[in-house]
Amino acid sequence: MVSTVQNTDVKQKESDHAVVVAVASRAVFEPEAQGGDNVYAEGVAFPLLQALQKVNERLLEENSAESLLFDIVLITTDSQQQQQSSHLISSTKHYGLEVSRFCFSTEEDFIESLLQNNVQLFLSTDRNEVSQTSQKGVLSALLDEYTTSCPSEQLRVLFCRDAVIRPDTNPTPASRQAAQSFSAQLGKMRQRFGMSDSPLSIALMTSCGGRDSCGGALRTLRSLGISVDEAYCLAGSPRGPILSVLRPHFVLSDCFSGLED
Amino acid sequence: MSEMKPSDVAAAEDSSEEKDWAAAKAAFDNLKSNKPRPPKPRFAVSIAVSSRTVFNMVAERKIYEEEGVEKYVAFQVEHENEPFRPGPAFPFVKALMNVNSRLRELYPDSEELFDVILMTNNPAQVGVRLINSINHYDLTIERFCMTGGQSPIGYLEAYMTNLYLSKDSDKVTEAIEAGIAAATMFMPEKEMELSDTQLRVAFDGDAVLFSDESEIIVKKHGLDTFFEHEKRYENQPLAQGPLKCFLEALGKLQRKFYSKNERLNCPIRTFLVTARSAASSGARVLKTLRSWGLEIDEALFLAGAPKGPLLQKIRPHIFFDDQMFHIEGAKDLGTIAAHVPYGIGQKYHKGKLIEQPAKNE
């Protein structure tokens, strides 16, 4: 059973133009820990939410009638958190998070709730959840322990090309389409800001190929309307050390499969 | 100072890292061209070069400074298919590539090679023109970080960089403070013909290979005290300076040629070019190098004479010195010079203390 609750503290976004991002509430708030006053403690994805909000703030500063905004939805599948749904909502309001809706569903039908809410990007710390939603054609990315150390003043998105593809996660045409359309919207958002002092930074990393592989990817993204800020060509060098300096909030890798140079 | 990369590291290799490495190896092996595969960073001598050192971007820099970043990027994109002209580090990079070819001939399976990484603050949109230029000259640069304004220091560390060359002295100073050998490059006034079969690297001694401890004595107490001091402490090794580890890395590669009987034909040659004099203060320097197990091919003691004319004879691909006075002298006569902003020499110009306004740190 899926139920949706609107956050009355937050202005609802125009559904046609907004970019709906669903975040697992388990990632936003520490499920067990409590701050004072029956409020949840901040979770791993807290800086990410603040960064998404910052982008919205700055978009509205540029144009107060802007409709291309992030529409943030919190998804809860955890039955315990569902029982404390009022906690979730009051914690969200306590921190002033710009969450427009709360979706409560079971583990069986949460994908349905994503599709119902026209979610364009799903973020979670649960690897299985991410894998499942991805296979159903919803663009998804895994949040890991590095996400906590990411800045909250700038949203940092990384497009990763030609990482080693795991055999069981071949992207479907639907998820490739989802990736391309989200990326194009991200690209449009990025264009609203200048080269410096942008609240959104888009980075590209190619892990295995040489410089031509990265050059090709830069051109491909450009043709999709995405102007990349940073580019890293690893040509086989270890990703870990570079990622820990790059500190992306999340990594997207579905955009490139199937695209020719 | 930068540590030599451990060759006997027993670190647990992340299996996903190994998979990436294997995939990269396969990608390069499958290429139709004969492009050599870049080495594993852990074993390589990593040289990070900024875009303005490899290429001449003086005109574009002017646009950036006078008209701002948007116009600058627009200009670069507009001229994307026009390769840049070579910059000060260009001959050095070509010489590194030549050493790699010789190493690959003798040791086809070794990862102990030079790895040239492009480390630039440029936004990625400028990257297309940079890649096109690298392709135009067929430089072996397959790795790069285009940080779009973020500091390069973290990435230098991630690549275990052995040497960082840039035109930005602030970044170079930051790198040295982080323990990475680094220098600010200067384009010489005139062009000098350089060897295309041998990499030739010249180093100043004090405050470059060695610490500035002796230079402090000269500046504060004069030459006579300096000579006495050096004689008295002849057998005590000097402390190491910021470029010592780079000399060490070069020596390690040199020995690979020696062990294949290629000493006479070695494509790396190192020079010490010091204002010290052989008679009074030279011994300590040579003994220090010996105590470190390092060799330098030629040690030239100038006893205070200008370095420019001697460097003209040596024709190095790069000359490292801590004092701008010597850098300028080298540049004027055609030597590609790189300033190491380290030690007491930064507070002096031509022997006089530079009056610094009080800095609010």
Side-chain angles (χ1 to χ4, degrees):
Chain A
M1 221 272 297
V2 175
S3 73
T4 305
V5 176
Q6 287 197 356
N7 181 357
T8 50
D9 278 9
V10 162
K11 185 178 168 193
Q12 297 299 311
K13 312 285 186 298
E14 276 176 59
S15 52
D16 288 346
H17 304 130
V19 180
V20 185
V21 177
V23 188
S25 61
R26 196 188 304 114
V28 180
F29 296 117
E30 277 301 305
E32 307 310 322
Q34 297 235 351
D37 303 328
N38 273 342
V39 150
Y40 284 125
E42 298 175 14
V44 153
F46 212 80
L48 163 67
L49 243 69
Q50 291 177 313
L52 287 167
Q53 256 171 251
K54 190 80 196 171
V55 174
N56 278 358
E57 251 177 62
R58 292 281 307 273
L59 282 169
L60 289 168
E61 266 173 43
E62 300 290 320
N63 172 12
S64 56
E66 178 66 77
S67 55
L68 179 65
L69 298 168
F70 285 118
D71 188 6
I72 307 167
V73 173
L74 283 194
I75 299 254
T76 309
T77 51
D78 186 73
S79 52
Q80 200 178 22
Q81 274 198 330
Q82 287 197 38
Q83 276 156 28
Q84 301 180 318
S85 63
S86 58
H87 257 169
L88 191 63
I89 296 172
S90 62
S91 301
T92 302
K93 294 185 178 187
H94 169 87
Y95 290 111
L97 294 179
E98 200 187 317
V99 170
S100 20
R101 299 190 287 299
F102 303 90
C103 291
F104 301 96
S105 67
T106 61
E107 278 173 32
E108 287 78 38
D109 52 23
F110 89 94
I111 295 181
E112 195 203 309
S113 80
L114 292 179
L115 296 168
Q116 262 186 22
N117 279 280
N118 198 22
V119 167
Q120 284 149 283
L121 174 67
F122 172 60
L123 301 168
S124 170
T125 43
D126 187 319
R127 195 175 285 275
N128 283 330
E129 263 181 13
V130 168
S131 166
Q132 280 174 38
T133 51
S134 217
Q135 281 173 25
K136 288 285 191 289
V138 177
L139 181 65
S140 313
L142 185 67
L143 302 174
D144 57 25
E145 68 271 20
Y146 293 115
T147 312
T148 335
S149 59
C150 297
S152 49
E153 313 80 39
Q154 185 188 61
L155 180 67
R156 297 176 59 72
V157 181
L158 177 65
F159 287 96
C160 192
R161 182 191 201 177
D162 81 7
V164 174
I165 308 278
R166 279 167 285 272
D168 56 337
T169 58
N170 261 325
T172 61
S175 65
R176 246 183 278 145
Q177 178 56 41
Q180 281 189 41
S181 88
F182 173 79
S183 314
Q185 289 189 289
L186 202 67
K188 271 201 212 114
M189 269 186 188
R190 179 64 188 87
Q191 298 288 52
R192 307 279 203 252
F193 305 105
M195 299 233 61
S196 38
D197 192 35
S198 166
L200 165 62
S201 178
I202 303 178
L204 164 70
M205 178 191 284
T206 53
S207 41
C208 304
R211 61 177 186 262
D212 289 325
S213 153
C214 195
L218 279 171
R219 286 196 202 85
T220 302
L221 285 170
R222 222 192 242 175
S223 70
L224 294 173
I226 302 160
S227 187
V228 168
D229 297 289
E230 307 169 37
Y232 303 88
C233 184
L234 267 52
S237 43
R239 259 186 289 169
I242 302 286
L243 281 174
S244 60
V245 184
L246 228 177
R247 294 185 307 158
H249 285 101
F250 55 87
V251 182
L252 299 173
S253 23
D254 291 345
C255 308
F256 296 101
S257 30
L259 287 173
E260 305 309 301
D261 275 55
Chain B
M1 298 299 148
S2 354
E3 291 296 317
M4 266 288 276
K5 277 179 255 182
S7 52
D8 57 349
V9 159
E13 287 262 22
D14 194 14
S15 67
S16 71
E17 274 183 21
E18 272 309 297
K19 278 208 198 111
D20 276 357
W21 174 252
K25 189 169 186 300
F28 271 86
D29 291 346
N30 278 341
L31 284 179
K32 298 202 173 59
S33 68
N34 295 339
K35 260 209 234 192
R37 176 176 48 80
K40 260 190 191 178
R42 190 196 301 275
F43 301 111
V45 178
S46 303
I47 316 271
V49 288
S50 79
S51 54
R52 289 191 289 148
T53 58
V54 190
F55 298 120
N56 183 332
M57 291 170 73
V58 172
E60 286 82 2
R61 179 74 184 177
K62 199 153 174 278
I63 297 175
Y64 171 77
E65 279 165 2
E66 290 173 6
E67 298 179 57
V69 66
E70 316 272 344
K71 290 255 159 59
Y72 164 77
V73 174
F75 181 90
Q76 295 280 33
V77 172
E78 212 183 293
H79 296 260
E80 224 158 59
N81 294 315
E82 293 166 35
F84 295 108
R85 276 174 299 129
F90 191 93
F92 180 62
V93 171
K94 296 277 307 186
L96 296 175
M97 286 165 55
N98 178 57
V99 174
N100 272 3
S101 314
R102 292 282 306 276
L103 280 169
R104 284 195 167 99
E105 271 169 35
L106 295 173
Y107 300 90
D109 298 318
S110 175
E111 304 287 333
E112 289 173 339
L113 297 161
F114 284 116
D115 185 18
V116 183
I117 302 155
L118 181 67
M119 184 69 63
T120 176
N121 252 33
N122 263 306
Q125 291 314 308
V126 180
V128 179
R129 190 177 182 192
L130 287 168
I131 295 171
N132 287 344
S133 302
I134 294 171
N135 282 338
H136 176 82
Y137 296 104
D138 203 18
L139 299 177
T140 326
I141 301 178
E142 297 292 349
R143 297 189 164 127
F144 47 80
C145 295
M146 297 173 184
T147 72
Q150 317 270 322
S151 165
I153 302 300
Y155 297 108
L156 291 174
E157 286 166 343
Y159 271 111
M160 297 180 280
T161 304
N162 294 86
L163 176 68
Y164 171 51
L165 300 174
S166 170
K167 283 207 119 194
D168 183 330
S169 56
D170 289 333
K171 293 199 181 62
V172 167
T173 304
E174 221 188 308
I176 292 190
E177 280 163 10
I180 301 168
T184 317
M185 291 210 73
F186 290 86
M187 194 77 188
E189 306 299 312
K190 40 184 170 159
E191 242 185 83
M192 195 193 267
E193 210 181 289
L194 298 168
S195 169
D196 54 8
T197 51
Q198 186 182 63
L199 168 70
R200 296 160 77 81
V201 183
F203 298 88
D204 173 34
D206 296 285
V208 172
L209 288 178
F210 314 112
S211 76
D212 66 342
E213 58 193 89
S214 300
E215 235 171 62
I216 291 175
I217 295 175
V218 175
K219 297 282 193 281
K220 297 214 162 130
H221 306 290
L223 270 179
D224 289 336
T225 314
F226 166 72
F227 291 145
E228 278 167 30
H229 185 271
E230 293 305 288
K231 260 251 145 31
R232 195 177 328 137
Y233 291 100
E234 196 177 284
N235 294 311
Q236 189 175 320
L238 291 156
Q240 57 182 359
L243 274 280
K244 177 249 184 182
C245 289
F246 179 58
L247 176 66
E248 198 167 10
L250 290 178
K252 191 168 176 220
L253 291 180
Q254 280 179 308
R255 282 195 294 281
K256 296 187 74 154
F257 289 96
Y258 302 163
S259 50
K260 294 267 183 173
N261 258 334
E262 293 275 345
R263 190 183 266 266
L264 287 178
N265 206 14
C266 183
I268 302 174
R269 194 160 181 83
T270 55
F271 301 83
L272 173 69
V273 178
T274 173
R276 286 182 182 237
S277 88
S280 53
S281 49
R284 193 178 182 197
V285 151
L286 296 174
K287 290 187 182 188
T288 302
L289 286 171
R290 200 186 301 156
S291 79
W292 290 343
L294 296 186
E295 281 183 36
I296 202 141
D297 295 303
E298 286 183 47
L300 301 136
F301 299 93
L302 288 160
K307 297 189 182 182
L310 182 67
L311 287 165
Q312 263 188 319
K313 301 227 161 22
I314 294 175
R315 297 171 185 271
H317 292 93
I318 191 168
F319 162 59
F320 297 101
D321 200 304
D322 67 304
Q323 304 204 48
M324 277 310 295
F325 169 63
H326 290 302
I327 297 289
E328 275 152 20
K331 248 183 79 185
D332 290 345
L333 295 182
T335 294
I336 302 173
H339 180 235
V340 182
Y342 167 79
I344 192 135
Q346 308 323 302
K347 300 196 176 65
Y348 286 80
H349 183 64
K350 291 189 178 152
K352 292 212 165 63
L353 183 62
I354 305 170
E355 291 301 327
Q356 296 279 2
K359 270 195 190 163
N360 292 336
E361 287 297 339

